[in-house]
Structure formats: structure tokens, C-alpha cells
Amino acid sequence: MMRIFFILVLICAIIIGINGLIILEKNQKKAATITKSSFGHTAAGEEIYLYSCANNNGLKLKMITFGAIVVSLEVPDRDGNLSNINLGFNSLEKYLNGHPYFGATIGRFCNRIAKGKFTLNDSTYSLKTNDGKNHLHGGEQGYDKVVWEAREYVNEDGANIEFSYKSYDGEEGYPGNVDIKATYSLTNNDELKIAFAATTDKATPINLTNHNYWNLNGAGNGDILEHELIINANHYLEVYDDLIPTGGLNNVEESAFNFRTAHRVGSRFQDIPKIENLPLGYDHCFVIKKDDLNDSLTFAAMVKHVETGRIMEVYTTHPGIQFYTGNFLDGGIGSGGFQQYSGFCLETQHFPDAPNQPKFKSTIVYPGQEYNEMTIFRFLNE
């Protein structure tokens, strides 16, 4: 009888040991990682740091403190092969030499403001104009060209980098001192989660976004015209020839802008209204269809690359999403060698030129208020 008892105790110990190893293995899998290294120095001698993150499924994210830029994001195809799907550079020099906002954090106001002017509380403000006569993506020295402070941390959700920047009163013409945080998280649910927060000491427009150029076939591996796209929108913003909104909303019905069901990105280029002196392609803001009037996280878009099986879903609290097909990329130095249509952007945001458009949702943040927006890019494969 005693022998049977000891045998049972031994069996239980073995089972407990095996379960312990399984639990230990699971716990080890939960540990995302972040490493920090030097990425070079600016002309002023400021050191730029590279943060390399990995989640527990092996996805890899690299970001730098210059411009709070996403350098690369590696995700698997249906066979588990990792590829970088974000257009960017492997050296700081190429970012410093100028580029079309590859992977950058954009502000104080993303997209365009007509003639670089707006009136607020009976004062007219003049902003730097860097897109013809208009102001684009924060001006000549937007947030994509500044050095951010960074704090990295790992938690049970994944790897996180909290970037912070203080934008001073008068910077690029904007009123108010603004404290900004942009937290990028590579989650263990295979998401790139971006949370923006900002406060100000004077009323000012704020509209922040990320400007990743995506190619689900791999950065530099062909164009994006065969990607299949869904955008959850019944309307898009009507624009003038300089891409400034007229204030009107156009219905997507029976047009090249109807992505309520999946269409190949390049399948209806010839049906896009042509604008003189602008290359063919999409560069339009869509009005995300929301089930309520709250600023809740809402499905905005989905992109699929059939050949690799990669899928990207986009969820956001923003009311709009700018779909851009890399029309201005030309293969030159300013385009980082990337050809036209090498990547697409889905920039979640408030509507362009909102400070001058009374019908659009206000982008003005006042002292005592906090600007908060979130976007999630979720990656799947089939």
C-alpha cells in the first residue's frame, strides 16, 4: 500500500513539474523586449536613439527619436516569413536630408491649412507655408523634424515607447505652449497601437497623425496597386485643385471612392477626377462611418495582399482617414529611391483645414482640456 502511495506521489510530482514547465514557457513567451542603441547625431550634435522592439510572436518594430519615426515594422506572411512592410531608411543621414514624411509623427496640425492662416478668438495667425501657398503637416519644421524625448517600458500587453515633446508658443506660427505625448506600442496581439495626448496653455488647433507608408508585400518590393482595400466611409471631402477642402462632402456611391466593399487600389485610377499639375492617384480624406457620435474606437479600413496573405486592419477614434497612394514618389533622392505607388498611407486624423471650416468638427484645444486620440493597426494573415 505504501509503495502505491509513493508511486502516486511521484506521478503527481511529475505532473506538477510538467505543468510548471508549461506555465514557465508561457510566461517566458509573454516577455516582449526593447533594446536601445545610437542611430547617429544631428548637425547640432544631438544624439538620436533607435529603439528595437519585439512582441511575443516575433513581430519587430524599430523607431527613432528624430521625428518619432517608425523606421521599420516586420510582420509575418501566411507562411510565417517576416518582412518589413514600412518604407524607411537604415541611416539617420537619409532622414536628415529630407523625405516625404516616411513613418513620421506629424503635427501640430497634420494635412493642410489654407493659405497658412486661421482666425481664433479674434486673432489671425499666420503659419509657415510649405505646400505652395498652403501650410502642410506642421510647416517647415514640423514634429517630423524635431528630436523627441523617449521612455521605453515593457508590460504584459507588449513593448511601448512613450515619446514626448514640448512645442513652444509661436513655433511655426501656432499659438500656445503644447506638451505632447505619442505612445507607440507593439502589442502581443500583433498590433501597432498609437496613442496621442496633448495639453496647451492657450487655445490652439491640434491634429496629430502617423505617416507610415505601407506595402504589405514588403517595402521596396513592387507597387501597392494590387492591394485590396476597404474603407468604412460613405463620404469623402470635396477639394479644390490645391487639395484644400471646399467644405462639402461627396457621396462615394458609384465613384472611384467607393471602398465600402473591397477593390484593388489601382483598379479605378482613371475614374478619379483629374487635377491639373497633380499626379494621378488618391490623396483624399474619407469620413469614417461611426455608429454613434462619440469618439469611440471605430473600424476605419482594411487592406489585404493576396499573394502573401498579409492583412492590416485600422481602428481609430479620429473622424477621418486620409488615403494617399504615394503619387508624388518619383524614385529620386527626395523619395528615398522609392518609385511612384511604392507605398500607401492611411493617415487617421481630423479633417484638413478644420480651423477655417465651421462645418467640420473643431480641432481647437483649450487650456484645461486634453487632446486624446488613438489608432490601432492590427496585423493578420490568411
Side-chain angles (χ1 to χ4, degrees):
M1 184 66 68
M2 289 297 291
R3 180 178 295 177
I4 294 173
F5 173 76
F6 283 120
I7 291 173
L8 290 174
V9 171
L10 181 60
I11 292 172
C12 289
I14 292 171
I15 293 173
I16 291 171
I18 292 172
N19 286 337
L21 288 173
I22 292 172
I23 291 171
L24 178 61
E25 184 180 348
K26 287 182 177 180
N27 288 337
Q28 288 176 337
K29 185 180 179 181
K30 289 180 181 177
T33 62
I34 304 176
T35 58
K36 176 182 176 182
S37 59
S38 178
F39 197 66
H41 295 78
T42 67
E46 294 176 278
E47 187 166 14
I48 303 302
Y49 292 101
L50 171 72
Y51 290 86
S52 301
C53 308
N55 74 355
N56 66 8
N57 296 316
L59 276 69
K60 298 177 181 179
L61 168 70
K62 292 183 178 181
M63 297 193 67
I64 55 175
T65 49
F66 180 76
I69 286 172
V70 176
V71 172
S72 63
L73 179 62
E74 297 181 29
V75 303
D77 63 11
R78 65 165 61 89
D79 298 319
N81 300 311
L82 289 176
S83 289
N84 169 37
I85 61 169
N86 174 67
L87 275 58
F89 306 122
N90 58 10
S91 72
L92 177 61
E93 182 181 8
K94 291 183 178 180
Y95 287 109
L96 296 177
N97 287 341
H99 60 101
Y101 307 99
F102 285 142
T105 298
I106 304 296
R108 182 177 303 190
F109 197 96
C110 68
N111 216 311
R112 294 169 175 84
I113 293 179
K115 300 179 181 178
K117 294 183 183 296
F118 66 91
T119 300
L120 177 60
N121 295 335
D122 298 324
S123 295
T124 297
Y125 295 91
S126 296
L127 309 175
K128 296 289 182 63
T129 53
N130 59 325
D131 183 48
K133 63 183 179 181
N134 300 316
H135 175 85
L136 175 67
H137 288 335
E140 295 176 353
Q141 190 75 13
Y143 297 169
D144 60 294
K145 299 179 183 69
V146 303
V147 180
W148 295 65
E149 297 293 326
R151 179 178 72 92
E152 76 272 22
Y153 61 95
V154 173
N155 57 20
E156 62 181 9
D157 295 327
N160 311 273
I161 310 170
E162 181 187 85
F163 294 96
S164 58
Y165 176 69
K166 188 174 188 68
S167 180
Y168 287 100
D169 182 50
E171 187 173 309
E172 296 299 298
Y174 288 99
N177 298 294
V178 177
D179 291 300
I180 305 130
K181 290 189 184 300
T183 303
Y184 285 75
S185 303
L186 180 63
T187 77
N188 291 326
N189 291 324
D190 296 346
E191 301 164 333
L192 176 61
K193 182 185 295 185
I194 306 170
F196 292 123
T199 57
T200 181
D201 62 1
K202 186 187 292 186
T204 188
I206 300 178
N207 191 14
L208 307 176
T209 193
N210 166 269
H211 207 297
N212 276 2
Y213 285 71
W214 305 101
N215 186 331
L216 299 187
N217 193 32
N221 192 12
D223 62 46
I224 46 82
L225 301 181
E226 296 300 311
H227 285 53
E228 295 182 358
L229 172 68
I230 292 174
I231 299 180
N232 181 26
N234 292 331
H235 298 88
Y236 67 99
L237 301 190
E238 181 181 62
V239 294
Y240 295 112
D241 287 353
D242 58 358
L243 301 179
I244 295 293
T246 67
L249 303 183
N250 287 343
N251 198 303
V252 302
E253 191 72 32
E254 297 182 0
S255 77
F257 300 90
N258 188 352
F259 287 98
R260 291 178 297 189
T261 57
H263 288 273
R264 289 183 294 109
V265 167
S267 64
R268 296 173 296 173
F269 268 19
Q270 298 304 319
D271 297 325
I272 300 173
K274 292 180 175 61
I275 297 178
E276 189 175 356
N277 298 322
L278 292 184
L280 191 62
Y282 294 97
D283 193 2
H284 299 80
C285 188
F286 289 74
V287 181
I288 297 170
K289 181 184 176 185
K290 290 182 176 282
D291 295 329
D292 53 50
L293 298 178
N294 298 321
D295 297 325
S296 55
L297 203 62
T298 302
F299 170 72
M302 182 177 73
V303 189
K304 179 179 179 181
H305 185 254
V306 175
E307 185 176 342
T308 61
R310 290 190 182 97
I311 296 172
M312 182 176 76
E313 298 175 343
V314 186
Y315 300 83
T316 189
T317 58
H318 278 114
I321 186 166
Q322 184 87 6
F323 175 45
Y324 171 57
T325 47
N327 315 328
F328 291 97
L329 299 178
D330 60 9
I333 295 176
S335 297
F338 290 104
Q339 299 291 335
Q340 189 178 46
Y341 313 132
S342 289
F344 66 89
C345 302
L346 287 169
E347 307 157 54
T348 57
Q349 59 188 252
H350 282 255
F351 299 153
D353 199 38
N356 296 312
Q357 301 279 352
K359 293 182 181 179
F360 291 173
K361 185 176 181 179
S362 175
T363 55
I364 305 301
V365 179
Y366 294 88
Q369 294 180 335
E370 184 170 354
Y371 171 98
N372 281 291
E373 299 290 353
M374 178 179 287
T375 296
I376 295 174
F377 298 92
R378 179 175 298 159
F379 300 96
L380 313 159
N381 54 68
E382 66 175 25

